[in-house]
Amino acid sequence: MTTSPLVSTQWLEDNLKTPDVVVVDGSLFLPQMGRDAEAEYLEAHIPGAVRFDIEDISDPKSDLPHTLPEPHLFASKMRKLGIGDGQTIVVYDGIGLWSAPRVWWMFKVMGVKDVHVLNGGMPKWKAEGRPLEDGPVRRPERHFTARLNRGAVTSFDSLRKIIASGDRQIVDARSSERFSGSVPEPRPGMRSGHMPGAKNVPVMDLMRDDGSLKDETTLRAQFSEAGVDISKPVTTTCGSGVTAAALTLALTSLGATDLTLYDGSWSEWGSRQDTEVVAGS
């Protein structure tokens, strides 16, 4: 199996019936997108795909949206989905590289080695006329061992130290307008702008028109133009911790290894009154 974080649509179609290859629909849409991830899954999904609901598989004790659950809860949810140890997991979403990387990242920080994102997701799969099915999918329960790598998850206090020390780069996946503070945040009660010292690489700029990840040369140029040195430590962030993982995936594809993700992201930082917020690019 490839060590790349991505697999192609052709690879997945060739391996749909391979034992222990599990396909996961990890779609999550913003309210303003006007899309229903559950309804779209039931109407059409890749054959055999189970539905990974990021909203449901999150920390029920947190006031922040879809934060990482504790390992025992994650393991319980995966067992009920029929996802377990020793499997090859392939995640996709309905935009391409939007929320699937978040699911990929969740599996990675829970200790799963063999997990990948379908390059291009459902848009590319559909455009190529590949097989689909409808209705729910039930898999037999399977034991899942969760070993949380807490070092890959940046907390609020850790981010404050990062900003104070400057020992890690902060890269924000939100749109340039949200990053600069020229438009209001979609969630009420949040200030507009970004964290001190943060760089901006919008998640939508990572994708081609078909939803797949841009080529290595283009990605390297984009990060460089944003002032990001991929050979140095990076902490990714976004609005609520979802699309930050797309930056993590893109950086991983370029060979970056010292990566963490700020799970609270702007939902936490921008809603507090004791944080510094910078406006402008």
Side-chain angles (χ1 to χ4, degrees):
M1 183 62 203
T2 176
T3 57
S4 168
L6 297 164
V7 295
S8 68
T9 50
Q10 186 62 57
W11 185 94
L12 182 56
E13 185 171 1
D14 290 345
N15 287 274
L16 277 178
K17 296 183 180 180
T18 301
D20 286 338
V21 170
V22 182
V23 187
V24 176
D25 183 320
S27 298
L28 176 75
F29 304 119
L30 297 175
Q32 58 267 36
M33 291 176 175
R35 296 176 64 174
D36 184 327
E38 180 70 17
E40 290 188 19
Y41 166 78
L42 291 173
E43 181 179 347
H45 55 258
I46 294 174
V50 294
R51 172 92 178 100
F52 186 114
D53 185 346
I54 292 174
E55 298 282 13
D56 176 62
I57 305 169
S58 62
D59 183 358
K61 302 187 297 295
S62 176
D63 295 330
L64 299 170
H66 38 251
T67 49
L68 194 69
E70 288 297 318
H72 71 275
L73 178 58
F74 188 84
S76 174
K77 297 282 188 180
M78 293 308 100
R79 183 175 66 251
K80 291 174 182 176
L81 285 178
I83 300 174
D85 299 342
Q87 294 175 324
T88 296
I89 302 167
V90 179
V91 190
Y92 73 90
D93 67 52
I95 294 176
L97 291 170
W98 177 262
S99 57
R102 169 70 184 193
V103 179
W104 165 83
W105 177 81
M106 291 173 74
F107 278 118
K108 295 288 283 186
V109 298
M110 290 296 176
V112 177
K113 303 295 186 186
D114 203 356
V115 57
H116 311 269
V117 171
L118 179 63
N119 200 10
M122 183 61 90
K124 193 170 191 292
W125 186 271
K126 280 185 172 180
E128 293 169 348
R130 300 186 187 274
L132 296 167
E133 66 179 15
D134 60 11
V137 172
R138 299 282 185 266
R139 295 177 56 88
E141 290 194 10
R142 182 158 171 163
H143 178 74
F144 184 97
T145 304
R147 299 183 179 90
L148 176 58
N149 175 12
R150 296 189 185 275
V153 187
T154 292
S155 66
F156 174 79
D157 290 338
S158 295
L159 190 76
R160 275 196 147 161
K161 292 176 182 176
I162 289 168
I163 291 172
S165 66
D167 60 358
R168 300 186 68 87
Q169 302 165 98
I170 301 169
V171 187
D172 193 323
R174 292 177 300 152
S175 69
S176 58
E177 293 82 7
R178 288 176 65 188
F179 181 82
S180 68
S182 62
V183 298
E185 281 294 303
R187 293 180 179 86
M190 287 189 201
R191 293 174 291 163
S192 299
H194 59 267
M195 301 150 194
K199 310 296 184 183
N200 185 213
V201 180
V203 61
M204 297 306 290
D205 290 354
L206 302 175
M207 287 182 271
R208 298 187 178 98
D209 291 341
D210 65 359
S212 62
L213 189 67
K214 289 180 177 176
D215 65 273
E216 179 180 339
T217 301
T218 302
L219 288 174
R220 287 187 182 278
Q222 286 179 220
F223 280 106
S224 178
E225 288 165 10
V228 180
D229 184 344
I230 66 172
S231 69
K232 296 180 179 179
V234 173
T235 294
T236 61
T237 183
C238 60
S240 63
V242 172
T243 58
L247 291 178
T248 303
L249 181 137
L251 288 162
T252 300
S253 76
L254 297 175
T257 55
D258 192 345
L259 304 170
T260 68
L261 186 149
Y262 173 33
D263 205 24
S265 283
W266 198 254
S267 295
E268 183 172 41
W269 191 270
S271 63
R272 295 180 60 132
Q273 298 305 309
D274 60 347
T275 54
E276 183 180 351
V277 171
V278 179
S281 57

